[in-house]
């Protein structure tokens, strides 16, 4: 177990003069000292109240929603500091297990005119690998985990996935089945590393000249 904040479990003879400290410390005493140490833990991040968005766009993607709609997944989101969750389930079946988890503010809907507002308020977006949603998210500088719908024919989502993950603009999985083993790893990676900012579009020459003149 890694311990922060302790330089030496033993004694410093120049500082410690209590002869009782000369006695060897047992495992129990060391564990007591470790438990008293103030060190950052994942659970402390929940105080920040981060927002998460789950979206399938205007499509039906129950396979993705079902993998996320599990009590243990919601508890994992809480562990990483997410207290508010938007779930946009499109034309599929609405999620139902979020009500079994305390401490989460969850809003579900099929379609909504304020979709872009919710996206911009979110710290992390878990989305189907649709080009429109991905581009909106990366241009808004949002962290994203994209899920490829591997049941589609002529799957252009895989091409989008390969290109965007190779450039580190998003994280993702090639199938909703992979969420069971990969989702927490990706959520942690988003938190610890983040994504590469999507480059701003280059201004054309006329716009650049106008800016320089005025």
């Amino acid at each position: 177990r890694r311990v922060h904040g302790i330089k030496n479990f033993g004694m410093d003879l120049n500082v410690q003069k209590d002869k009782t400290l000369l006695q060897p410390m047992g495992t129990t005493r060391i564990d007591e000292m470790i438990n008293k140490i103030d060190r950052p833990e994942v659970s402390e991040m929940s105080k920040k109240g981060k927002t998460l968005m789950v979206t399938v766009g205007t499509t039906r993607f129950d396979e993705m929603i079902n993998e996320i709609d599990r009590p243990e997944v919601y508890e994992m989101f809480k562990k990483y500091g997410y207290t508010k969750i938007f779930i946009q389930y499109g034309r599929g079946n609405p999620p139902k297990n979020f009500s079994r988890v305390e401490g989460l503010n969850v809003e579900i809907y099929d379609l909504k005119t304020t979709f872009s507002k919710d996206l911009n308020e979110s710290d992390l977006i878990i989305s189907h690998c649709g080009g429109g949603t991905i581009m909106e998210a990366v241009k808004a500088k949002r962290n994203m985990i994209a899920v490829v719908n591997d049941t589609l024919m002529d799957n252009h989502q895989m091409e989008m996935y390969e290109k965007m993950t190779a450039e580190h603009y998003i994280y993702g999985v090639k199938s909703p089945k992979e969420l069971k083993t990969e989702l927490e790893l990706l959520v942690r990676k988003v938190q610890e590393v983040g994504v590469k900012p999507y480059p701003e579009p280059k201004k054309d020459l006329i716009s650049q000249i106008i800016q320089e003149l005025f």
Side-chain angles (χ1 to χ4, degrees), residues 84-137:
K84 183 175 179 59
I85 302 178
F86 297 111
I87 303 179
Q88 185 267 320
Y89 55 90
R91 304 183 188 281
N93 296 317
K96 53 189 176 183
N97 289 319
F98 62 87
S99 60
R100 296 165 56 186
V101 180
E102 295 182 359
L104 283 180
N105 177 9
V106 180
E107 179 182 340
I108 68 171
Y109 53 90
D110 50 1
L111 302 171
K112 191 179 181 184
T113 56
T114 58
F115 172 84
S116 294
K117 178 177 179 292
D118 294 345
L119 183 145
N120 279 279
E121 289 179 357
S122 299
D123 300 283
L124 170 63
I125 295 127
I126 301 175
S127 170
H128 74 130
C129 201
T133 305
I134 289 178
M135 294 313 297
E136 186 170 358

Side-chain angles (χ1 to χ4, degrees), residues 67-209:
E67 288 295 336
I68 292 174
D69 186 36
R70 302 172 184 270
E72 62 269 24
V73 174
Y74 293 122
E75 291 289 353
M76 181 270 290
F77 290 149
K78 283 177 55 181
K79 183 174 75 170
Y80 286 92
Y82 295 95
T83 56
K84 183 175 179 59
I85 302 178
F86 297 111
I87 303 179
Q88 185 267 320
Y89 55 90
R91 304 183 188 281
N93 296 317
K96 53 189 176 183
N97 289 319
F98 62 87
S99 60
R100 296 165 56 186
V101 180
E102 295 182 359
L104 283 180
N105 177 9
V106 180
E107 179 182 340
I108 68 171
Y109 53 90
D110 50 1
L111 302 171
K112 191 179 181 184
T113 56
T114 58
F115 172 84
S116 294
K117 178 177 179 292
D118 294 345
L119 183 145
N120 279 279
E121 289 179 357
S122 299
D123 300 283
L124 170 63
I125 295 127
I126 301 175
S127 170
H128 74 130
C129 201
T133 305
I134 289 178
M135 294 313 297
E136 186 170 358
V138 297
K139 286 181 178 179
K141 304 187 186 315
R142 303 294 94 184
N143 291 309
M144 170 171 267
I145 297 171
V147 182
V148 175
N149 187 343
D150 57 350
T151 65
L152 297 178
M153 300 291 290
D154 299 323
N155 200 344
H156 297 295
Q157 288 194 6
M158 187 62 74
E159 297 174 18
M160 173 69 75
Y161 166 88
E162 296 286 357
K163 182 173 182 178
M164 298 299 285
T165 55
E167 294 290 340
H168 306 291
Y169 296 137
I170 65 171
Y171 296 108
V173 292
K174 297 180 180 180
S175 167
K177 296 175 184 177
E178 296 180 6
L179 289 172
K180 193 170 294 185
T181 57
E182 299 297 320
L183 183 56
E184 181 169 3
L185 297 175
L186 292 173
V187 170
R188 184 186 305 155
K189 200 168 185 178
V190 164
Q191 185 162 283
E192 295 177 351
V193 181
V195 296
K196 179 181 174 182
Y198 190 74
E200 296 289 343
K202 294 181 180 179
K203 297 178 181 179
D204 58 56
L205 182 59
I206 296 176
S207 298
Q208 186 175 347
I209 291 173

Side-chain angles (χ1 to χ4, degrees), residues 22-40:
L22 297 176
Q23 300 298 323
M25 292 192 295
T27 304
T28 302
R29 186 176 174 191
I30 293 176
D31 286 341
E32 289 176 355
M33 292 177 65
I34 293 174
N35 291 331
K36 291 179 181 180
I37 300 171
D38 292 328
R39 59 187 182 274

